[in-house]
């Protein structure tokens, strides 16, 4: 019995010594701080502009506002509720004026949108194109000096767009 008590004592000392020599690793992670909205009070859920032609916008969820920032060069478009190029946002004071050959509304697409979503040309070698979403068309403008390239699906230099070479 004495040997068992002695063995138990020695074994427990080994465990205590071993457990006190094992290091404990603690990791801490830091997330980007969540910033509140600058100017918008969140009465309803949704996305809201922080001002005209601003690169920030407010997302309201459950009465709390979270500030988001658009990628460089884009600004929040309150009509489309996305970050967009400034020449596509009327509140940014775009100096582009599309050429109009009829009495049609200059902000409406001439392309007939179906349920297919996507970007579609307004014509060959044009600076405008139609962004279709759930059957509704939104007229968009390419940057100055560029035209919509149907093959690539984005705006490009006139000399690189095949239909401009005809």
């Amino acid at each position: 019995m004495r040997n068992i008590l002695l063995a138990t004592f020695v074994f427990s000392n080994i465990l205590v010594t071993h457990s006190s020599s094992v290091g404990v690793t603690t990791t801490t992670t830091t997330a980007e701080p969540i910033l509140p909205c600058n100017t918008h009070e969140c009465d309803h859920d949704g996305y809201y502009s922080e001002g005209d032609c601003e690169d920030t916008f407010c997302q309201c969820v459950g009465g709390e506002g979270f500030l988001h920032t658009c990628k460089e060069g884009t600004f929040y478009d309150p009509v489309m509720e996305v970050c967009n190029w400034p020449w596509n946002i009327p509140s940014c004071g775009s100096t582009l004026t599309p050429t109009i050959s009829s009495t049609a509304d200059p902000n409406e697409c001439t392309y007939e949108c179906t349920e297919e979503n996507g970007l579609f040309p307004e014509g060959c070698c044009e600076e405008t194109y139609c962004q279709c979403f759930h059957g509704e068309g939104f007229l968009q403008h390419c940057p100055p000096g560029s035209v919509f390239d149907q093959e690539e699906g984005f705006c490009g230099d006139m000399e690189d767009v095949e239909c401009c070479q005809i």
Side-chain angles (χ1 to χ4, degrees):
M1 182 73 163
R2 188 172 182 200
N3 288 340
I4 293 174
L5 286 175
L6 182 60
T8 304
F9 176 76
V10 170
F11 185 72
S12 63
N13 279 338
I14 291 171
L15 285 176
V16 169
T17 303
H18 178 70
S19 66
S20 64
S21 66
V22 174
V24 177
T25 305
T26 320
T27 58
T28 57
T29 58
T30 57
E32 289 187 32
I34 297 175
L35 300 173
C37 297
N38 292 325
T39 60
H40 188 79
E41 293 293 324
C42 292
D43 298 327
H44 296 61
D45 289 355
Y47 297 97
Y48 301 95
S49 175
E50 284 284 292
D52 286 343
C53 205
E54 291 283 330
D55 66 347
T56 57
F57 62 97
C58 180
Q59 178 186 16
C60 294
V61 179
E64 288 191 59
F66 304 96
L67 189 67
H68 295 277
T69 303
C70 296
K71 298 264 186 208
E72 186 175 343
T74 61
F75 299 89
Y76 184 70
D77 183 340
V79 174
M80 300 292 290
E81 294 187 337
V82 297
C83 292
N84 205 342
W85 299 109
W87 50 84
N88 288 330
I89 306 171
S91 64
C92 285
S94 173
T95 58
L96 293 177
T97 53
T99 54
I100 305 166
S101 59
S102 68
T103 59
D105 184 345
N107 296 316
E108 288 185 14
C109 296
T110 59
Y111 182 84
E112 184 79 27
C113 290
T114 62
E115 288 301 312
E116 181 182 5
N117 296 335
L119 305 177
F120 302 95
E122 284 286 287
C124 176
C125 207
E126 294 283 331
E127 70 167 5
T128 57
Y129 60 96
C130 188
Q131 179 180 9
C132 295
F133 185 71
H134 294 296
E136 192 172 349
F138 301 93
L139 189 66
Q140 303 295 320
H141 299 274
C142 292
S146 65
V147 294
F148 185 74
D149 185 341
Q150 180 179 359
E151 298 296 317
E152 297 294 330
F154 53 79
C155 298
D157 293 325
M158 194 178 290
E159 59 269 9
D160 296 332
V161 177
E162 189 176 322
C163 81
C164 293
Q165 307 309 312
I166 299 173

